[in-house]
């Protein structure tokens, strides 16, 4: 039996049995593979790192989208940078009054996700409220004159084409694309094995925004423990949105979820001490 062996973090590997290879090719930009695994269903990897799986993507994408959307409460325009599998777009489409722009650098990821993993995007790519731009997200935010209420940076890890999506320059350009009171969310890796990346994002975002923190969720196919979503906004009240208000907004939005609840939302921001210490460590 073939094994998919992810070595994203030195010394820590994730091995998944490859029950059937559905697609494997080097796009112009990334090594893209889609294969079947008995536990996770269909799995997409880019440059040897798991991006999304049919079985656990709901956790990752629900927490990526509903935490900022329900904390903000009045978002009408959302921008996704990356997100080529369409999972974040699918969650955003649950909001009746939303317009979504998604900027991904690799059209092949979008097309193959739609073909081989249609449950992840769930028709979002064909929704009239969805607009796809194929471009480098770093260039796009520098040049666009538009603004959004929520910006979701659903990027690969800071290697290859995704590296530019972790720079202070990129975060600053994203800030210029935020409406007043808007919020930016980043994919910030697994703190236990990517502590340096967490700290770097914290410092860079901290130089640009008044309220910067992280919230956590455990994604079974992301090895090393809970993963962190970066949170950055100038509206210091957003993160304090109370449980009753979150519950009312969740109800009013009429969305269905399998992981997200208002209680999980609030609890996700409770950072364990070792992560708090990592953020305040000198040097
Ligand atoms: N869940 C995944 C993770 O946590 O690593 C991310 C999923 S999504 C597939 C990542 C997307 O980022 C890919 O579709 C890739 O093409 C896109 N991407 C990488 N670098 C980019 C860039 N500079 N601009 C826009 N999209 C980029």
């Amino acid at each position: 039996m073939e094994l998919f062996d992810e070595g994203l973090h030195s010394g820590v590997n994730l091995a998944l049995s490859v029950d059937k290879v559905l697609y494997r090719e080097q796009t112009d930009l990334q090594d893209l593979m889609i294969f079947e695994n008995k536990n996770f269903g269909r799995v997409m990897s880019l440059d040897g790192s798991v991006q999304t799986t049919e079985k656990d993507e709901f956790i990752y994408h629900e927490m990526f989208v509903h935490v900022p959307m329900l904390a903000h409460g009045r978002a009408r325009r959302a921008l996704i940078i990356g997100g080529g599998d369409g999972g974040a777009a699918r969650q955003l489409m649950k909001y009746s009054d939303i317009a979504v722009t998604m900027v991904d650098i690799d059209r092949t990821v979008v097309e193959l996700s739609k073909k081989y993993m249609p449950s992840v995007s769930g028709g979002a790519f064909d929704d009239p409220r969805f607009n796809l731009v194929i471009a480098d997200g770093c260039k796009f935010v520098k040049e666009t004159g538009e603004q959004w209420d929520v910006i979701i940076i659903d990027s690969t890890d800071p290697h290859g084409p995704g590296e530019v999506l972790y720079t202070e320059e990129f975060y600053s350009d994203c800030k210029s694309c935020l409406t007043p009171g808007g919020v930016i969310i980043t994919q910030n890796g697994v703190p236990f094995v990517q502590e340096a990346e967490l700290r770097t994002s914290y410092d860079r975002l901290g130089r640009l925004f008044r309220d910067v923190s992280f919230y956590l969720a455990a994604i079974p196919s992301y090895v090393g423990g809970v993963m962190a979503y970066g949170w950055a906004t100038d509206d210091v009240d957003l993160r304090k949105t109370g449980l009753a208000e979150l519950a009312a907004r969740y109800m009013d939005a009429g969305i269905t979820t399998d992981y997200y609840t208002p209680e999980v939302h609030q609890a996700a921001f409770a950072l364990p001490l070792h992560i708090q210490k990592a953020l305040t460590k000198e040097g």
Side-chain angles (χ1 to χ4, degrees), residues 8 29-30 44 46 49-52 60-61 64 81-86 103-107 109-110 135-139 154-157 159-166 187 189 222 227:
L8 178 63
L29 295 152
Q30 303 170 106
M44 176 191 288
L46 284 175
S49 300
V50 169
Q51 299 297 307
T52 197
Y60 175 81
H61 293 116
F64 220 152
I81 303 290
D85 51 56
V103 183
D104 199 294
I105 201 166
D106 195 337
R107 184 183 298 278
V109 177
V110 176
D136 178 340
C138 195
K139 196 165 177 298
D154 186 6
S155 62
T156 44
D157 283 278
H159 318 294
E163 194 162 2
V164 292
L165 304 182
Y166 291 81
Q187 183 280 101
Y222 293 173
M227 79 151 275

Side-chain angles (χ1 to χ4, degrees), residues 18-36:
V18 178
D19 303 326
K20 184 178 178 190
V21 177
L22 297 168
Y23 183 88
R24 169 119 209 211
E25 198 168 315
Q26 176 73 37
T27 75
D28 297 344
L29 295 152
Q30 303 170 106
D31 174 8
L32 173 56
M33 182 176 175
I34 298 177
F35 63 93
E36 284 184 356

